[in-house]
Amino acid sequence: MTTLNANQKEFAMALYDATLTGKPLEEKDWKGVVEDDDTAYAVQDEVMRLKGVPVGGYKVSLTSKQTQDMFDADSPLYGQQVNRRFLPAPANVNLNDLMEPLVEVELAFRATTDLTSNDSLEDLLNKTTVAGALEVPDSRFKDWFPSLGKYNVMSDCAVGGLVVYGKEAPSTKVFKDVADVATVHAELFLDDQKLDEGDSKEVLGNPLKSLQWLVKKLEEQGKQFKEGQLVSSGTFVLPPHLKEGHWAVNFDHQLGNVDLNVN
């Protein structure tokens, strides 16, 4: 288990304070404080400890080569999220309550029983519900996208903001098999104007692989993806900046629409 030094503890407190105040950090003030994955996750753990509430779920980031290249990474990373950051659709959000948010199109999976590293992709299909999701990444750093360093992204709970999720259904009812999970298509709209579209295969080839990666990574760290927890598994598209208006994602596979009104 990684022990944080004084500067790293101060960094965790600064991230927590920025969450409360909405005043962003300057990356130059914290460069070099965290220089490896284990320490970054330990800072994230300390931020969550300071929040004082249980982990409600997770988000997985850097699930495509394109996004990994942007942050000089060779694998995904995860962020812990509190329950109040997961919102059922349709949702309403005030832009002033966020810092520098983006928009991502994702699938969200909820565990119907505790998950373990022994679970195959087929096991995960049978042990989850699925929903379309519109994630709103947000950072405690100013001017963070796409230049924020990977270790600061990790320390900042993988730039977790909000996850708006649609109607949930058993994954086995939505998908005929594991391969089918990679065939979801979705379109992103702002005020009825289509901004982008993408496919679930952009997420590590299959979003269930993202969930499997997360379950194994958590277990390596002595944690567990528990029954009832939700994960936003990775984006289908490169994220635009969140603006005022009516956002909607239209999913096929009878996953329906996910709507977010931003004032």
Side-chain angles (χ1 to χ4, degrees):
M1 185 174 180
T2 302
T3 300
L4 300 181
N5 63 32
N7 286 344
Q8 291 157 355
K9 289 181 179 179
E10 183 183 1
F11 181 32
M13 179 60 74
L15 288 167
Y16 174 66
D17 287 344
T19 302
L20 299 180
T21 66
K23 184 177 180 181
L25 307 180
E26 297 273 359
E27 184 170 26
K28 63 181 176 60
D29 296 332
W30 302 100
K31 269 196 176 296
V33 173
V34 175
E35 296 186 307
D36 63 84
D37 287 10
D38 290 344
T39 304
Y41 281 124
V43 170
Q44 184 182 140
D45 288 344
E46 178 64 10
V47 172
M48 294 299 294
R49 188 192 69 79
L50 290 167
K51 290 179 179 179
V53 292
V55 176
Y58 301 86
K59 61 163 291 183
V60 182
S61 296
L62 309 191
T63 52
S64 69
K65 186 179 186 307
Q66 188 174 20
T67 54
Q68 288 177 10
D69 288 347
M70 290 171 69
F71 289 91
D72 193 26
D74 58 7
S75 69
L77 56 88
Y78 77 82
Q80 301 165 83
Q81 305 291 313
V82 300
N83 269 326
R84 66 177 178 272
R85 292 293 184 170
F86 293 95
L87 307 176
N92 297 288
V93 171
N94 190 325
L95 194 59
N96 290 332
D97 293 336
L98 301 167
M99 296 178 74
E100 293 189 24
L102 306 178
V103 180
E104 295 182 340
V105 175
E106 316 223 352
L107 290 181
F109 297 94
R110 190 185 302 277
T112 57
T113 187
D114 293 352
L115 305 180
T116 78
S117 61
N118 293 323
D119 288 330
S120 65
L121 296 180
E122 187 171 356
D123 291 333
L124 295 176
L125 187 70
N126 283 280
K127 293 181 177 182
T128 56
T129 63
V130 65
L134 189 158
E135 186 186 327
V136 179
D138 199 11
S139 179
R140 273 41 66 182
F141 284 94
K142 184 178 180 181
D143 300 326
W144 68 275
F145 184 80
S147 60
L148 185 63
K150 182 187 78 167
Y151 299 127
N152 286 338
V153 170
M154 297 170 74
S155 299
D156 190 20
C157 296
V159 294
L162 304 169
V163 177
V164 180
Y165 61 94
K167 184 177 180 180
E168 297 180 67
S171 298
T172 51
K173 298 293 185 183
V174 176
F175 304 113
K176 61 186 179 182
D177 54 26
V178 167
D180 198 26
V181 183
T183 67
V184 178
H185 185 77
E187 297 179 326
L188 175 65
F189 294 84
L190 172 59
D191 294 329
D192 297 322
Q193 178 181 352
K194 188 166 86 169
L195 299 183
D196 208 344
E197 59 187 306
D199 300 292
S200 56
K201 67 182 179 181
E202 295 300 321
V203 183
L204 297 180
N206 188 314
L208 284 176
K209 292 182 179 179
S210 173
L211 174 57
Q212 187 179 57
W213 173 87
L214 174 62
V215 170
K216 291 180 177 180
K217 188 66 177 179
L218 291 174
E219 200 164 289
E220 287 174 8
Q221 298 174 341
K223 305 171 186 174
Q224 185 172 34
F225 196 105
K226 298 178 180 178
E227 178 181 354
Q229 290 182 330
L230 192 71
V231 61
S232 188
S233 59
T235 186
F236 297 14
V237 301
L238 279 180
H241 288 274
L242 187 74
K243 303 175 183 177
E244 291 186 355
H246 176 242
W247 292 81
V249 187
N250 299 344
F251 291 88
D252 62 12
H253 282 67
Q254 298 185 319
L255 287 166
N257 296 354
V258 177
D259 295 281
L260 172 63
N261 295 304
V262 182
N263 303 311

